[in-house]
Amino acid sequence: MDPATVPAPSGLLLAASVAMLAAALWLLLPKSSDTLASRRLGILLGALALVGFAATGRSLGSVGENGVFLTVSAVALVSGLATVVTRSPVYAAIWFAMALAGVAGVLLTLGAQFLGVATIVVYAGAILVMFLFVLMLAQPSGMAPYDRVTNEPMLAASAGAVLLGLLSMSIGRLSAIEPPACCRMPSRADAIASGSAAPVSPEAGDEVARLGAELFGRHLFSVEVAGILLLVALVGAIAVVSRGEAAAESGREAA
Amino acid sequence: MSLSISHLVVLVPLLPLLGAIATVLLGRRLGPRAHLPALAGIGAAAAVAALVLLGTAADVRGGHGEPSRPVEVITTLWNWATVADAGVADTASGTPLGGAATATAPFSIPVSLRVDPLTATLLVIITGVGLLVAIYSIGYMHGDPGYPRFFALVAMFVFSMSMLVAASNFLLVYVFWEAVGACSYLLIGFWYSKPQAARAAKKAFLVNRVGDFGLAIATFLLWMTYGTLDFHDTYTADGTIVPGILGQTRLSDAAGYVGGAVGTAICLLMLLAACGKSAQVPLHVWLPDAMEGPTPASALIHAATMVTAGVYLVTRSAPLFIGCPGALTVVSIVGATTALVAALIATVQNDLKRVLAYSTISQLGYMFAALGTGTMLGFTAAIFHLVTHAFFKALLFLGAGSVMHAMGGVIDMRRFGGLRQLMPVTALTFVIGAAALAGVVPFAGFFSKDEILAALHSKAHPAAHASDHAEVRVAGGALPDAAAGPFRAASYRSDAAPRGAAGDAVGLDALDRPATFQWLYWMSLFTAGLTAFYTFRAVFMTFTGPLRVPEEAGHHAHESPREMTGPLMVLAVLSAGAGLVLFVTDALGRFLAATPSLSAPAIVATAVPHAFHLDLAIQGTLAAAIGIAVAAIGHYGRRSDSATTARWLGPLGPILANTFYFDALYRVAIVKPLEALALVAALVDRYVVDAAVDAIGRVPGTWGAVARRLQSGLLQRYALAGVVGVLAIVLALAWQLRP
Amino acid sequence: MIPAPLLINALLVGAGLFCLGLVGILTRRNLIVMFLCAELMLQGVSVTLVAWSRYHGDWGGQVLTVFVLTVAACEAAVALVFVLQAFARTGRLDAAAWQSLREETLPRVIDRELPEGDAAGPTWPTLTPAGVRPPEDASHTLEREHV
């Protein structure tokens, strides 16, 4: 499948998609004049924008492949949109978990099995739970006022949509901006092309094993540094908590 | 002897300078003994100056030739600055004198001191009177919070004044001319918290600037004309001579000096400088106000020494003036006019120190009148009067200070009287000083004033004096070559004619007529009578009659302490005897004749045998007697205070009381326009310059006020701004990478 | 190795996630939701990295994604501590609660109008009450003292 054979989407479609996405975001973001109709219109426009952006993509050949990819990416994007626009932070967190599932699906589709699973385990299993703990600790009863209004929704939605449009345009023209050979990092693909490295075997288990070998071989030092970083973050968080509590209490006493 | 003199002369200014520095450094620690370093410095300098005088006198006597051989000793300490290739601009009026000062002559300023009779005499006067005044000040300034400062300034002044008279270079003269002005300024404003004192100091400074400006321009012109500023000849390594302005080489050259317009301009500018420093009309207005300073400072600076700097300058530059008879006559006219005007004003003053201040102006006028005759007699008479005046005017000022000290600062003669009962020593010495000033027969002033009158008379009536010096008159002032022989070095080319040489006369020269000097003679004689009148009016008002003491005096009303009466007595002896001794022996006249400046052929030609002119002495004594008699009658008949005097004077009264409206005239003609100009400048500064600066200063503030609104404290607005920036960059990239 | 169309599609998904997260960061005021959105942006980046890594057959991208995971965990730990501290001081999870950091002369930004409709908030599922604590029995405690 040569990308050059697939016709690039027209600029008009892209512009329409950007405008619809901006409008959808603006309509869906929490604000005082929310009505059910405006939310529905927002959902409709968002769906249309999703379709528009999907049209800038490429066909993957078989219907099955297309279907799987479209499904997981739609789950990821729709859940992401819902994370952003949902008023209740708890629901937002749950939508985020959904988005993570979609992302994991995309990663699996791409053939990164380890990362797909790790995302679920680390993010949904650890980080997100931590968020929920904090929410339970800190969330006041009822809907907080700051969850019901947003900051500069029009401008932010436009900026985000325009940025997405620009990125889509660039991605669509990807074949035109392949970097010249001199500026490319020597990659395994080049090595394979030049015959100096064996082609990667497609077996799944092999993929994970190779990633592990890469991590603990070439990138061992970085892994150790990342481990130390984790330790430092842990110690730092504990230190801040204990000191902050003391300060808060003394502040309360002084008050 | 000359070797030791060249060393000693360095010590004369150096010792007071060290004293001043020591006083500045140690003054606070020494407390009531702060006078010691300054006193030691000035005292030692006085002793050294006396040695210098004796050595110079020995040198003069050593040369038996007649006319007296010029004596000078030059000590070059170091070279202050050398400007290579400082060419003399080849102006339209001619080329520089001689071959030495060519268009690429280096301009060097050697710091060199000289000793000649004139300098030696003045050094003794400066350090001697300085020492007496310093001793007197121990008593007078006792307990003043600025005690160390006063002595530091006095020592500094003695240093500056010694350097002024010892410097052998016009630029150095200018430097120390300013230095004594600065000391004078600081001493007039010594009690700076008193508004009048501060104002008087400012006035003295500003009025002196006018004169200093003249000296600066004169110095420039001298450099342009003669290519050097040295007084003395300089012998270079290769045997050539760079003739100094007052050096032997040029003096012995008949065509050595520039006359005409340039010469007259130089002389008149120097006269302007002298008028400023010596308080001659029309720049005399600062001296009466300068009496706001401490009385010892007035005695030293504004009576005995600094104000005579103008007389010194003209005497030193005598050869320059001789070539410009017009300028010389102007000197005389200015002097005689000043003498008369100041004497008239003095007659109505009620402030004892102001009487003495105007008297000083008047006596300085006498000296200038004598200088203006341009004869040997005139120059020596002026210096003679300078010497005797230093003695008796210092005495009078110190006496006035003694009275002021006893009267608790009151100096208005109408408020006290009969003080001879209270302060016998002060009264006696003051009367001696007054007699000397008035020109009473055996006292100093009589002889010096008599010589001045004689000098004027000989100019006014040349025929009557023709017999005096017919045998020495030489046409054109040129001396036979033999006299100048030793100095005529091979390399010095005298054939190069100086610009504007003797021939071309200036319109001003027309003033140089006997008739002018007849007027000046009678003016001076009348002034002599006035001098006697106002002097004894002051004596009578202060010391005779019933005892009256103002209430401010308090417990001070008694004779002054020994530190103050001692100098008074010394000065009284000098005032009484110095004139007689110096006149009878003619020591000063013969001594001064050996000064290089006065050994110019044109001056030597006017020398006359020393003689006592009985007819002139009778005229002078008569004038003095009339003046004293009028004062006595006025005082004993009706009190000579302002009301009675005003009735006598009639319409002249207000004019005199307002000092001929000089101050008012200056106020209207100079001060007010300048104030208006200053106001305009101030307004421009405030509303144009300042406003512009402020406007520039407000620009960042305005920008800040605009940009400040961006700091809302809302984190997400900052993030949004960042995203918008990113978007802009991405847009720019997309635009650049467009297909 | 993945084909080019898959790369392009994956990049589009990554860009979409990134931009959605960005909009969320900029608009939502709840600190927790802001962090969720930041994580969403990280997910977009991860997808992009993995897509390129697979396209080039190079492991670098995936290794980098592992590190992204690690750093995200660290970030979450530390940032949540700060969020808790902020909550302890203001009682709110509001990013706009720290407006006092603004320029002195500027007025405070106040929300003029709030939607009335959903002030009550969502109704959370509840469990039926069970296992009620029995009342304290004084005699029972007295008995215990003899044990």
Side-chain angles (χ1 to χ4, degrees):
Chain A
M1 269 293 158
D2 187 14
T5 58
V6 181
S10 72
L12 199 63
L13 176 64
L14 200 60
S17 303
V18 166
M20 282 189 292
L21 180 65
L25 277 168
W26 181 70
L27 285 169
L28 286 172
L29 280 170
K31 57 184 163 302
S32 57
S33 57
D34 272 349
T35 59
L36 197 59
S38 73
R39 281 185 201 177
R40 281 184 181 155
L41 180 63
I43 291 167
L44 177 69
L45 284 175
L48 285 175
L50 189 64
V51 172
F53 278 113
T56 64
R58 301 286 194 279
S59 168
L60 295 177
S62 74
V63 178
E65 269 186 66
N66 271 334
V68 170
F69 186 82
L70 275 178
T71 310
V72 291
S73 55
V75 166
L77 288 172
V78 170
S79 306
L81 181 63
T83 309
V84 170
V85 300
T86 308
R87 283 153 187 70
S88 163
V90 178
Y91 285 154
I94 292 166
W95 275 118
F96 179 62
M98 196 70 186
L100 283 177
V103 169
V106 172
L107 292 180
L108 288 173
T109 316
L110 286 171
Q113 294 92 339
F114 175 74
L115 283 175
V117 175
T119 301
I120 295 288
V121 171
V122 175
Y123 262 104
I127 299 178
L128 193 65
V129 171
M130 201 154 69
F131 275 101
L132 284 171
F133 274 141
V134 171
L135 274 173
M136 278 181 249
L137 282 171
Q139 188 68 7
S141 63
M143 187 70 78
Y146 48 82
D147 281 331
R148 289 184 278 143
V149 286
T150 47
N151 185 36
E152 311 279 355
M154 179 87 80
L155 196 53
S158 311
V162 169
L163 187 60
L164 181 55
L166 283 170
L167 288 173
S168 307
M169 206 168 73
S170 309
I171 293 164
R173 290 211 317 269
L174 206 53
S175 60
I177 55 164
E178 275 288 323
C182 68
C183 305
R184 263 185 302 184
M185 293 284 288
S187 69
R188 190 163 296 273
D190 296 329
I192 294 161
S194 63
S196 64
V200 180
S201 149
E203 277 92 351
D206 195 37
E207 288 282 314
V208 177
R210 291 188 71 90
L211 178 62
E214 189 81 7
L215 263 178
F216 296 103
R218 211 171 133 198
H219 297 286
L220 180 62
F221 186 70
S222 307
V223 170
E224 294 300 328
V225 169
I228 290 167
L229 183 68
L230 269 170
L231 181 67
V232 169
L234 182 70
V235 173
I238 292 166
V240 170
V241 165
S242 55
R243 195 169 307 161
E245 270 175 1
E249 263 177 36
S250 69
R252 226 170 283 138
E253 277 164 19
Chain B
M1 197 69 191
S2 63
L3 181 71
S4 61
I5 287 177
S6 69
H7 288 115
L8 287 175
V9 69
V10 180
L11 289 177
V12 178
L14 184 65
L15 291 169
L17 178 64
L18 292 177
I21 293 171
T23 311
V24 168
L25 293 180
L26 304 174
R28 230 170 260 280
R29 202 166 302 165
L30 287 171
R33 295 191 307 283
H35 54 267
L36 285 177
L39 205 62
I42 300 173
V48 175
L51 284 177
V52 169
L53 181 72
L54 289 176
T56 315
D59 273 7
V60 171
R61 255 198 308 283
H64 292 294
E66 193 70 39
S68 335
R69 194 170 59 84
V71 170
E72 64 173 344
V73 177
I74 308 292
T75 312
T76 300
L77 295 177
W78 72 87
N79 207 18
W80 183 11
T82 303
V83 183
D85 300 338
V88 182
D90 202 356
T91 56
S93 42
T95 52
L97 179 83
T102 58
T104 53
F107 172 52
S108 63
I109 311 161
V111 177
S112 35
L113 303 182
R114 64 187 286 111
V115 180
D116 58 21
L118 179 60
T119 296
T121 310
L122 287 175
L123 282 180
V124 168
I125 297 293
I126 291 159
T127 53
V129 177
L131 179 63
L132 291 174
V133 165
I135 294 170
Y136 176 91
S137 305
I138 298 170
Y140 189 86
M141 299 301 290
H142 179 75
D144 192 283
Y147 194 70
R149 184 160 53 95
F150 179 82
F151 283 95
L153 285 172
V154 166
M156 196 67 207
F157 169 76
V158 172
F159 159 70
S160 306
M161 192 69 200
S162 313
M163 285 299 289
L164 172 61
V165 296
S168 188
N169 181 300
F170 270 107
L171 196 74
L172 282 184
V173 165
Y174 182 78
V175 168
F176 288 99
W177 188 270
E178 296 287 349
V180 293
C183 289
S184 158
Y185 167 81
L186 291 169
L187 279 167
I188 295 170
F190 182 76
W191 288 307
Y192 48 80
S193 53
K194 211 164 99 185
Q196 302 99 299
R199 216 166 26 231
K202 209 163 61 187
K203 184 175 180 182
F205 199 74
L206 289 177
V207 174
N208 264 305
R209 291 254 73 73
V210 179
D212 298 346
F213 163 77
L215 186 57
I217 305 289
T219 307
F220 300 156
L221 274 178
L222 282 169
W223 160 243
M224 298 279 290
T225 312
Y226 296 107
T228 181
L229 290 176
D230 287 348
F231 292 169
H232 53 275
D233 294 339
T234 310
Y235 297 87
T236 55
D238 55 353
T240 56
I241 298 176
V242 179
I245 294 175
L246 304 169
Q248 311 286 5
T249 315
R250 197 183 296 277
L251 282 169
S252 56
D253 183 357
Y257 289 99
V258 170
V262 174
T264 308
I266 292 173
C267 292
L268 288 180
L269 285 167
M270 279 196 187
L271 176 63
L272 181 66
C275 280
K277 199 59 86 187
S278 295
Q280 296 297 291
V281 170
L283 298 180
H284 66 283
V285 289
W286 65 271
L287 189 54
D289 288 9
M291 296 303 128
E292 292 292 345
T295 305
S298 302
L300 176 62
I301 298 181
H302 306 119
T305 54
M306 187 194 81
V307 287
T308 61
V311 178
Y312 165 77
L313 184 70
V314 175
T315 312
R316 176 62 75 199
S317 315
L320 298 167
F321 277 88
I322 288 297
C324 312
L328 209 48
T329 314
V330 171
V331 173
S332 238
I333 293 171
V334 165
T337 311
T338 307
L340 181 59
V341 165
L344 281 171
I345 296 171
T347 55
V348 296
Q349 294 294 321
N350 290 314
D351 180 324
L352 182 54
K353 276 182 79 179
R354 276 179 182 265
V355 170
L356 294 177
Y358 279 107
S359 153
T360 303
I361 298 174
S362 177
Q363 298 305 307
L364 289 165
Y366 264 119
M367 296 175 208
F368 275 84
L371 292 174
T373 60
T375 59
M376 182 66 97
L377 180 61
F379 287 121
T380 51
I383 300 299
F384 186 18
H385 199 53
L386 189 160
V387 173
T388 57
H389 176 257
F391 293 146
F392 63 69
K393 191 50 67 66
L395 169 60
L396 287 171
F397 262 110
L398 295 184
S402 177
V403 169
M404 200 171 158
H405 193 63
M407 294 298 110
V410 175
I411 199 66
D412 190 335
M413 292 187 290
R414 287 169 299 186
R415 297 189 53 197
F416 46 71
L419 296 183
R420 71 176 187 287
Q421 303 156 34
L422 213 59
M423 326 172 63
V425 179
T426 306
L428 181 65
T429 52
F430 196 91
V431 167
I432 291 172
L437 173 58
V440 175
V441 170
F443 296 105
F446 167 77
F447 295 101
S448 52
K449 200 173 290 182
D450 181 58
E451 277 209 0
I452 289 176
L453 289 176
L456 285 170
H457 195 263
S458 70
K459 267 300 251 200
H461 303 281
H465 292 265
S467 59
D468 289 349
H469 48 75
E471 67 275 16
V472 276
R473 181 180 288 271
V474 182
L479 219 62
D481 267 0
F487 300 103
R488 197 169 283 277
S491 64
Y492 172 59
R493 288 177 288 131
S494 63
D495 48 50
R499 62 191 92 164
D504 50 344
V506 187
L508 218 53
D509 293 351
L511 282 172
D512 184 24
R513 281 182 306 172
T516 314
F517 283 93
Q518 283 167 26
W519 271 100
L520 296 179
Y521 174 73
W522 288 110
M523 276 165 72
S524 302
L525 200 59
F526 180 53
T527 308
L530 286 176
T531 307
F533 168 72
Y534 67 67
T535 312
F536 274 88
R537 172 172 168 266
V539 170
F540 291 142
M541 284 178 83
T542 308
F543 292 106
T544 63
L547 179 66
R548 290 191 302 146
V549 174
E551 61 270 22
E552 286 94 329
H555 64 281
H556 284 293
H558 53 74
E559 183 57 273
S560 299
R562 263 209 320 269
E563 297 93 350
M564 290 166 72
T565 52
L568 287 179
M569 288 186 280
V570 173
L571 284 169
V573 170
L574 287 169
S575 301
L580 187 64
V581 171
L582 289 177
F583 184 79
V584 170
T585 60
D586 191 26
L588 188 64
R590 278 188 288 142
F591 183 53
L592 286 175
T595 306
S597 292
L598 299 183
S599 65
I603 299 174
V604 172
T606 62
V608 291
H610 185 63
F612 182 69
H613 302 279
L614 188 63
D615 47 346
L616 299 179
I618 289 172
Q619 285 180 24
T621 308
L622 213 58
I626 292 171
I628 295 170
V630 170
I633 292 165
H635 182 65
Y636 283 111
R638 294 148 288 182
R639 286 200 57 80
S640 56
D641 52 19
S642 51
T644 333
T645 329
R647 210 163 50 246
W648 288 350
L649 292 169
L652 200 57
I655 299 180
L656 294 184
N658 288 298
T659 65
F660 284 93
Y661 295 104
F662 270 111
D663 280 324
L665 183 70
Y666 288 151
R667 175 150 288 279
V668 172
I670 297 170
V671 177
K672 285 291 175 193
L674 281 178
E675 276 179 355
L677 190 64
L679 185 68
V680 171
L683 289 178
V684 168
D685 182 54
R686 188 173 311 155
Y687 293 109
V688 178
V689 179
D690 271 10
V693 172
D694 286 355
I696 292 168
R698 261 185 230 112
V699 168
T702 315
W703 277 109
V706 173
R708 192 179 301 142
R709 308 171 67 104
L710 294 175
Q711 195 186 342
S712 59
L714 291 171
L715 183 68
Q716 287 162 311
R717 287 204 182 161
Y718 306 158
L720 188 59
V723 169
V724 170
V726 168
L727 206 56
I729 293 170
V730 172
L731 270 173
L733 279 175
W735 179 254
Q736 277 212 317
L737 299 175
R738 69 193 183 280
Chain C
M1 289 293 283
I2 57 168
L6 185 56
L7 168 73
I8 287 175
N9 290 351
L11 291 181
L12 282 174
V13 172
L17 286 172
F18 183 86
C19 290
L20 285 171
L22 184 67
V23 172
I25 283 265
L26 293 181
T27 54
R28 299 303 302 266
R29 281 167 52 180
N30 192 315
L31 288 169
I32 302 288
V33 179
M34 282 171 74
F35 272 111
L36 289 178
C37 295
E39 301 293 346
L40 204 58
M41 289 170 81
L42 282 177
Q43 291 306 310
V45 173
S46 296
V47 168
T48 308
L49 281 171
V50 171
W52 279 113
S53 160
R54 294 294 296 156
Y55 177 67
H56 286 303
D58 190 302
W59 296 100
Q62 294 196 48
V63 170
L64 216 50
T65 310
V66 172
F67 292 141
V68 167
L69 273 177
T70 318
V71 173
C74 297
E75 175 220 332
V78 177
L80 283 174
V81 167
F82 285 119
V83 167
L84 277 177
Q85 297 295 320
F87 180 76
R89 282 175 191 249
T90 62
R92 305 162 68 185
L93 287 173
D94 188 0
W98 299 90
Q99 273 191 62
S100 52
L101 296 174
R102 70 187 179 280
E103 173 67 28
E104 198 179 11
T105 52
L106 280 184
R108 190 183 160 83
V109 177
I110 297 167
D111 303 319
R112 268 153 305 186
E113 39 193 333
L114 288 172
E116 294 297 321
D118 45 12
T123 47
W124 303 109
T126 54
L127 296 173
T128 50
V132 178
R133 187 180 179 183
E136 296 282 322
D137 187 357
S139 61
H140 186 69
T141 44
L142 278 175
E143 269 176 33
R144 272 198 171 178
E145 279 195 358
H146 298 282
V147 175

